[in-house]
Amino acid sequence: MKRRGKNAAFFAQVMVLCLCLAACGNSDDAAGDDWRTTGMVVDSGTITHDGDSVDVLVTVSESSAAFYRDIPEQVLFDSVAFPMDIPDAEQAFHSISFDDLDGDGESDVWVSFLHENGDVTDLIWIWDPEERYVYREDLSAIPADEGDLSDYAGLWEYPDEKLWLRIYEDATWEFVNDQEDVLEYGTLWEDENGVTLHFDGSGDTLQLDRTVSGDLINSVNGGMLFPTEGIR
């Protein structure tokens, strides 16, 4: 009879232990449901309107930045829509500010992106009590003609050097010889003067300015590049 009593007590202890483990497991599951641990958050800040302040966490996509309340549940507080798509928004995101930019005591929004090619995109919205966040193009800074390389896409020749520059519309380029062997390659971006080549191998850059006649001039050594139909 004593053995049965001891066995009953043992099994009772086992059941209590199992229940405790189950409770701990449920607690872990609840913590795992906290959306803030998913890696979506890129920044945080405090938004103030009408004297009330709310702590928010920031997520970005190619079309917008969203501001969620800093709580375990994913509750949207506010957002801003970008004036254009930014395909590399998640990778290029640099910072966000909710400072009062116009001195009215209300939080405005300043989102900054630092792109791989060195370009900076700054987008600014000013708070309006009726229209909420109003995008201000005059305060923002967007790389000139971002993504539009139609004037440069094609083949350019260095005369007498057996060297050609091929520019693609996806903002990549390559130097090739008369056998079409790729000698150098990288990415590029456009500015008001012409295009800047970024060399993927060395990290160097080369500015090519557009002349009045539509040719390209090498800003380093003065060499000229002329558009051509093919490699000769």
Side-chain angles (χ1 to χ4, degrees):
M1 296 294 293
K2 289 183 178 179
R3 173 179 288 182
R4 291 182 179 177
K6 290 181 178 179
N7 287 343
F10 172 77
F11 284 118
Q13 291 175 352
V14 171
M15 290 301 295
V16 170
L17 179 60
C18 290
L19 290 174
C20 290
L21 291 174
C24 291
N26 290 337
S27 176
D28 289 343
D29 290 343
D33 289 338
D34 189 336
W35 79 278
R36 297 172 295 185
T37 66
T38 61
M40 298 169 56
V41 177
V42 298
D43 211 333
S44 62
T46 301
I47 296 177
T48 300
H49 291 307
D50 297 326
D52 294 328
S53 296
V54 175
D55 292 333
V56 298
L57 301 176
V58 180
T59 68
V60 295
S61 68
E62 68 176 24
S63 60
S64 65
F67 318 135
Y68 293 90
R69 292 180 180 274
D70 188 1
I71 57 177
E73 299 79 19
Q74 191 173 1
V75 179
L76 183 65
F77 178 72
D78 216 326
S79 64
V80 290
F82 301 152
M84 71 294 186
D85 283 349
I86 304 178
D88 63 341
E90 294 185 36
Q91 296 76 24
F93 175 81
H94 181 255
S95 63
I96 189 168
S97 169
F98 298 108
D99 290 344
D100 175 15
L101 300 177
D102 62 349
D104 64 353
E106 307 292 327
S107 287
D108 303 307
V109 178
W110 181 348
V111 185
S112 182
F113 298 93
L114 178 58
H115 305 282
E116 184 178 3
N117 63 11
D119 280 352
V120 175
T121 298
D122 287 320
L123 305 177
I124 292 178
W125 292 260
I126 299 299
W127 175 259
D128 182 273
E130 295 183 359
E131 299 183 40
R132 303 185 70 77
Y133 292 112
V134 178
Y135 174 68
R136 291 286 298 272
E137 183 178 3
D138 58 319
L139 301 177
S140 302
I142 299 174
D145 298 320
E146 185 178 19
D148 182 9
L149 294 170
S150 57
D151 290 340
Y152 298 94
L155 195 64
W156 300 78
E157 180 181 6
Y158 273 108
D160 304 324
E161 294 192 30
K162 296 187 180 298
L163 186 64
W164 288 262
L165 170 65
R166 182 178 284 119
I167 296 178
Y168 298 95
E169 291 189 359
D170 65 354
T172 60
W173 61 269
E174 56 190 21
F175 276 123
V176 299
N177 59 20
D178 57 351
Q179 301 299 311
E180 298 205 40
D181 299 320
V182 177
L183 307 178
E184 297 279 1
Y185 61 91
T187 56
L188 76 158
W189 61 94
E190 181 184 6
D191 58 34
E192 60 184 6
N193 297 316
V195 293
T196 301
L197 308 183
H198 176 273
F199 291 74
D200 281 1
S202 63
D204 293 336
T205 60
L206 175 64
Q207 175 70 33
L208 300 175
D209 294 331
R210 193 72 178 265
T211 67
V212 176
S213 60
D215 304 319
L216 292 174
I217 182 170
N218 184 327
S219 61
V220 174
N221 57 32
M224 298 291 296
L225 293 91
F226 301 95
T228 183
E229 294 297 324
I231 294 175
R232 303 187 297 273

